[in-house]
Amino acid sequence: MRKGILVLLVASILVVGCMAGNGNGNDGNGNGHGGGHVGDGVTLKMNYYEEQCGSLSVEKAVRDIVWTKVAVTPSLAAKLLRLHYHDCFVRGCDGSILLDPTQNTTTEKNAGPNRSVSGYEIIDEIKEELESKCPGIVSCADIVALAARDAVSFQFKKDMWPVFTGRKDGKISLASEVGNNLPSANANFTTLLAQFAAKKLDLNDLVTLSGAHTIGISHCPLVARRLYNFTGIGDADPSLDMTYAQTLRKICPNPQTFTTLVEMDPNSSGSFDSNYYRALNQHKGFFVSDAALLTNQQSATISKVLENPLVFFVEFARSMVRMGAVDVLTDGQGEIRKICRVVNSH
Ligand code: HEM
Ligand SMILES: *[C@@H]1O[C@H](CO)[C@@H](O)[C@H](O)[C@H]1NC(C)=O
Ligand SMILES: *[C@@H]1O[C@H](CO)[C@@H](O)[C@H](O)[C@H]1NC(C)=O
Ligand SMILES: *[C@@H]1O[C@H](CO)[C@@H](O)[C@H](O)[C@H]1NC(C)=O
Ligand SMILES: *[C@@H]1O[C@H](CO)[C@@H](O)[C@H](O)[C@H]1NC(C)=O
Ligand SMILES: CC(=O)N[C@H]1CO[C@H](CO)[C@@H](O)[C@@H]1O
């Protein structure tokens, strides 16, 4: 186990060195990963659309729109990051989360855990722009993946991870598939690990990707049980720091309303940083699922290591590439939707 952590650290330092050598700021293509493959047999690659859209850089077109939007509405960064996660965990990163319900179907959008997902209008806008300049080429699934990266990267004015492209759009979206695939805010470590493993993501990915909760907000009812009635006797979760529980009760007073919002990272929810782990390690993790990362020794050790922002950024980049490859549809499968909200009619 100790060896695993060490490998993680050494690997991180190596990659940090690598990034420093290749990171060229605003160039949407610069990261030294050109043409690589990700995952087993997954054939996404860097700059997949190069040469397919004339002089248009798809990466730059997406980034320009996302950065403009996030500059005006910083809270969008978290929305777009979460959108990509929810897309990938249900039927793979295939844009299925974008499909609107029809008269006789309910789609992923309709399912409970997804109800508060947003950012769809930005994806529509990017798609319209790309369709006007390069029709029928760029998938909605790739737009979601690029937008998530760009949303987080705005704060840094450079790409925080490479986005391999070439995903095709799926034709199926079912509300009924969301519940089992997306972990619940109340999930324990065993369940979280199993749900990540079902996506070929490992323990390190689980701890690292949970760090996404360094930005964004939650609706109060999702944390209320932890604050007010954890074991059914009107108590708070004993694993939650008491002072922090008190702070959260003030922000989320009873009776709960779904419109009351609470920042998940106590001190810096507007900033993508490693404070999530600092808070977590002080027993100020927000959800039961966050606190659960301290209930396993290996996971707790990684949480400690990820307090270092440089290590966190490197590991997050690596895990986002892995998440972005989950069950993707590639050549010969799926389609390139014309409108992200509906499957093409044939
Ligand atoms: C490990 C299992 C996870 C659980 C149980 C979980 C659960 C949740 C819940 C319940 C919310 C609050 C939603 C709301 O009230 O609107 C939330 C927010 C969020 N989640 Fe997760 N999540 C997990 C993993 C992830 C991952 C892997 C990512 C991205 C890589 C992510 C990104 C986010 C972001 C950015 C927000 C804030 C959204 C906003 O500000 O609107 N989460 N998560
Ligand atoms: C939805 O309804 C239409 C019209 O009533 C019908 O033709 C179609 O087969 C239905 N689709 C599904 C998936 O049930
Ligand atoms: C974790 O949660 C699952 C599902 O709720 C449950 O079956 C299991 O017993 C729990 N495991 C532990 C160690 O609490
Ligand atoms: C607390 O939980 C118990 C057991 O689930 C339930 O019977 C009780 O109504 C809850 N109390 C409040 C105030 O929600
Ligand atoms: C948040 O800030 C307060 C005051 O600066 C500090 O005492 C506390 O340790 C910080 N908490 C975290 C989790 O960083
Ligand atoms: C994670 C999450 O948002 N879970 C909620 C999903 O929706 C159901 C109701 O439809 C809630 O009970 C869950 O808390």
Side-chain angles (χ1 to χ4, degrees):
M1 183 218 93
R2 288 206 170 278
K3 201 171 156 216
I5 303 300
L6 200 66
V7 168
L8 174 88
L9 254 176
V10 171
S12 302
I13 290 161
L14 285 177
V15 184
V16 169
C18 193
M19 272 179 119
N22 290 299
N24 44 3
N26 279 337
D27 176 0
N29 303 331
N31 46 47
H33 288 261
H37 285 213
V38 264
D40 348 298
V42 175
T43 56
L44 300 178
K45 57 181 195 174
M46 284 307 291
N47 303 317
Y48 176 83
Y49 297 109
E50 201 172 32
E51 293 169 10
Q52 292 184 67
C53 291
S55 61
L56 178 78
S57 161
V58 169
E59 279 78 5
K60 184 174 183 308
V62 175
R63 191 185 59 201
D64 285 349
I65 296 177
V66 171
W67 282 18
T68 303
K69 295 288 175 187
V70 174
V72 176
T73 313
S75 59
L76 254 181
K79 315 282 177 216
L80 290 171
L81 179 57
R82 185 165 179 242
L83 184 68
H84 183 37
Y85 159 57
H86 279 220
D87 187 28
C88 292
F89 264 61
V90 186
R91 271 189 183 266
C93 316
D94 69 341
S96 54
I97 191 168
L98 305 173
L99 290 172
D100 277 341
T102 59
Q103 261 176 357
N104 47 10
T105 62
T106 56
T107 57
E108 290 172 27
K109 276 180 185 180
N110 299 116
N114 270 352
R115 226 176 273 145
S116 62
V117 174
S118 57
Y120 300 113
E121 296 75 18
I122 309 298
I123 304 299
D124 291 338
E125 197 172 313
I126 297 167
K127 179 64 171 173
E128 277 169 34
E129 166 78 5
L130 291 173
E131 284 299 300
S132 76
K133 297 193 168 147
C134 184
I137 299 293
V138 185
S139 71
C140 298
D142 278 344
I143 294 174
V144 170
L146 289 165
R149 184 268 307 274
D150 295 336
V152 170
S153 299
F154 175 73
Q155 182 190 330
F156 303 90
K157 304 295 185 291
K158 66 168 191 184
D159 292 343
M160 292 301 280
W161 60 87
V163 175
F164 296 80
T165 43
R167 297 171 188 79
K168 296 288 188 282
D169 296 323
K171 300 179 188 174
I172 298 167
S173 178
L174 300 168
S176 59
E177 289 184 339
V178 175
N180 290 336
N181 285 289
L182 273 177
S184 134
N186 292 313
N188 61 34
F189 183 79
T190 319
T191 301
L192 290 169
L193 195 61
Q195 285 182 307
F196 271 63
K199 309 297 164 192
K200 300 204 187 83
L201 298 172
D202 62 20
L203 186 148
N204 190 46
D205 296 315
L206 166 63
V207 184
T208 305
L209 291 173
S210 293
H213 291 171
T214 181
I215 52 172
I217 49 91
S218 166
H219 292 78
C220 279
L222 296 175
V223 77
R225 192 173 70 91
R226 242 197 134 196
L227 303 180
Y228 292 105
N229 200 11
F230 191 67
T231 63
I233 55 165
D235 54 342
D237 182 344
S239 76
L240 179 62
D241 176 271
M242 281 301 144
T243 314
Y244 185 45
Q246 196 48 46
T247 306
L248 289 177
R249 283 197 208 101
K250 286 194 191 115
I251 302 169
C252 296
N254 270 336
Q256 298 298 313
T257 61
F258 201 73
T259 47
T260 313
L261 303 174
V262 50
E263 296 174 341
M264 295 187 291
D265 180 348
N267 279 2
S268 65
S269 79
S271 162
F272 191 87
D273 54 35
S274 61
N275 279 355
Y276 167 87
Y277 298 99
R278 224 159 58 102
L280 177 64
N281 294 330
Q282 295 172 19
H283 303 281
K284 296 171 188 165
F286 189 79
F287 293 120
V288 169
S289 66
D290 297 309
L293 302 177
L294 298 185
T295 64
N296 170 277
Q297 202 194 351
Q298 195 179 350
S299 155
T301 308
I302 296 174
S303 299
K304 206 67 203 156
V305 172
L306 292 176
E307 279 194 29
N308 178 329
L310 289 182
V311 177
F312 172 54
F313 292 158
V314 167
E315 289 301 318
F316 196 78
R318 210 177 65 93
S319 287
M320 284 303 289
V321 170
R322 285 162 57 76
M323 188 182 89
V326 170
D327 296 338
V328 292
L329 305 174
T330 49
D331 297 322
Q333 304 169 298
E335 63 180 9
I336 303 293
R337 272 179 229 147
K338 293 190 180 71
I339 299 170
C340 291
R341 291 171 182 270
V342 292
V343 297
N344 296 340
S345 51
H346 293 285

